[in-house]
Amino acid sequence: MRRLVFLGPPGAGKGTQAVLLAREQKLAHLSTGDMLRAAVAAQTPLGQEADGYIRAGRLVPDELVLRILKDRLRQPDAASGFVLDGFPRNRSQAEALERISPVDAVVSFEIPNEILVQRLSARRICPKCQSVYNVESRPPRIPGRCDLDGSELVQRPDDLPEAVATRLDVYAKATAPLLDYYRERSLLRPVNARGTPEEVALQIRALVHGTP
Ligand code: AMP
């Protein structure tokens, strides 16, 4: 299985697992959130348009996200396989994906909302290399600094409580219906996302390698 979607609510651990699996299986890690944040940081016209939606925790319009994703999929490293992290997020994106590049499986991250809120409020990221930390369960070696490049860690504006509430709501209304969409197509592979990153990684590896 070389074309995968990671589907789940914000804070479920999709990004952490996508990095691990992509490294191990030599897949491209395609995070539309990372692509959009890079466009915002670079102040491209697309980034400027997306910025307000991201800050508010709302979905960026499909047309913008599709544009950025299609460009990324054209790069050579994506040709031999990818992990899509954060896309699709609604039915029309799922239908667009079917046209652009059908996938082999959709890993769904199952986790209760209380845990998500705790995780998102403790999350800090490196603005330079996008590494993700958790001030409680996975703190950096030096408080407030990235282990890899020493940059000062930041809290994503959309990890603040008001935007988190909106994101969970958007997930429930727009994205969660994709669980049925992919179940009907026999592509859905649920994992229990409550465990440690190592425990979740083991489940995903078993799925990808086709072992029980
Ligand atoms: P993420 O890093 O996946 O949590 O995404 C952060 C934010 O980027 C989301 O709350 C949305 O505002 C935007 N975003 C990321 N991916 C998508 C997508 N597939 N469709 C629409 N908006 C997206």
Side-chain angles (χ1 to χ4, degrees), residues 116-144:
L116 299 175
V117 174
Q118 282 166 17
R119 282 192 188 175
L120 292 168
S121 62
R123 175 157 75 179
R124 299 292 181 276
I125 61 164
C126 171
K128 195 165 163 205
C129 72
Q130 315 301 327
S131 293
V132 180
Y133 299 87
N134 179 299
V135 289
E136 277 144 36
S137 62
R138 190 173 176 271
R141 281 196 296 272
I142 301 167

Side-chain angles (χ1 to χ4, degrees), residues 73-104:
L73 277 170
R74 267 188 227 113
Q75 290 174 28
D77 66 323
S80 65
F82 54 76
V83 184
L84 263 175
D85 158 17
F87 186 97
R89 267 183 151 93
N90 59 29
R91 190 175 171 117
S92 80
Q93 292 183 5
E95 287 168 354
L97 182 62
E98 248 167 41
R99 292 191 295 271
I100 310 167
S101 182
V103 296
D104 304 317

Side-chain angles (χ1 to χ4, degrees), residues 32-33 36-37 53-54 57-60 65 86-87 89 93 156 158 167:
T32 44
L36 290 166
R37 280 186 290 277
Y53 293 97
I54 299 173
R58 293 171 52 209
L59 293 186
V60 171
V65 180
F87 186 97
R89 267 183 151 93
Q93 292 183 5
R156 281 173 40 177
D158 60 344
R167 288 162 70 205

Side-chain angles (χ1 to χ4, degrees), residues 2-177:
R2 307 222 24 112
R3 287 170 307 176
L4 299 164
V5 166
F6 281 7
L7 182 65
K14 302 184 298 294
T16 301
Q17 295 299 329
V19 168
L20 293 174
L21 187 73
R23 195 185 300 149
E24 187 185 296
Q25 301 285 320
K26 306 216 174 350
L27 303 170
H29 172 206
L30 308 181
S31 157
T32 44
D34 284 351
M35 293 172 210
L36 290 166
R37 280 186 290 277
V40 171
Q43 298 191 331
T44 64
L46 189 151
Q48 285 171 347
E49 215 177 319
D51 192 25
Y53 293 97
I54 299 173
R55 279 178 187 280
R58 293 171 52 209
L59 293 186
V60 171
D62 293 343
E63 185 258 323
L64 296 182
V65 180
L66 272 167
R67 208 188 307 155
I68 213 166
L69 179 68
K70 279 185 186 163
D71 279 353
R72 181 65 187 85
L73 277 170
R74 267 188 227 113
Q75 290 174 28
D77 66 323
S80 65
F82 54 76
V83 184
L84 263 175
D85 158 17
F87 186 97
R89 267 183 151 93
N90 59 29
R91 190 175 171 117
S92 80
Q93 292 183 5
E95 287 168 354
L97 182 62
E98 248 167 41
R99 292 191 295 271
I100 310 167
S101 182
V103 296
D104 304 317
V106 175
V107 178
S108 98
F109 286 61
E110 302 200 329
I111 188 158
N113 268 11
E114 312 85 80
I115 299 184
L116 299 175
V117 174
Q118 282 166 17
R119 282 192 188 175
L120 292 168
S121 62
R123 175 157 75 179
R124 299 292 181 276
I125 61 164
C126 171
K128 195 165 163 205
C129 72
Q130 315 301 327
S131 293
V132 180
Y133 299 87
N134 179 299
V135 289
E136 277 144 36
S137 62
R138 190 173 176 271
R141 281 196 296 272
I142 301 167
R145 296 270 164 198
C146 178
D147 289 351
L148 301 182
D149 56 35
S151 300
E152 192 170 343
L153 301 180
V154 296
Q155 188 166 25
R156 281 173 40 177
D158 60 344
D159 280 345
L160 296 171
E162 206 178 292
V164 165
T166 306
R167 288 162 70 205
L168 292 175
D169 197 45
V170 167
Y171 178 79
K173 293 201 175 99
T175 312

